[in-house]
Amino acid sequence: MPRLRKRSILLAGHATSLALEPEFWAALETMAQARGVSLPALVAEIDAGRAGAPLASACRVAALSHAMSSARS
């Protein structure tokens, strides 16, 4: 099983930690660069639109969606 990497991120003025596999962190960093935003800003965007889903799951789905749309281009 892949080892999770935990990072602390400030969301809505509160520190939260998020644990994801290194591959997902790399995909999110690529996604943030493509959008011209910081990684914390990207995670804040994902957080705002997650509609009750766990944040880690929403981040994984966002990373996969970005990777799939990039592969189609």
Side-chain angles (χ1 to χ4, degrees):
M1 176 186 327
R3 197 170 127 147
L4 297 176
R5 183 177 302 152
K6 201 178 261 196
R7 292 189 183 182
S8 293
I9 296 179
L10 194 63
L11 293 176
H14 297 95
T16 188
S17 65
L18 181 60
L20 296 170
E21 295 79 2
E23 295 83 1
F24 282 106
W25 283 121
L28 289 172
E29 288 169 357
T30 299
M31 186 177 172
Q33 285 179 339
R35 291 187 179 192
V37 298
S38 67
L39 182 61
L42 176 65
V43 174
E45 286 179 26
I46 294 168
D47 181 47
R50 66 185 168 119
L55 181 56
S57 296
C59 286
R60 287 182 181 99
V61 169
L64 286 172
S65 294
H66 177 75
M68 289 173 62
S69 66
S70 294
R72 287 185 207 132
S73 301

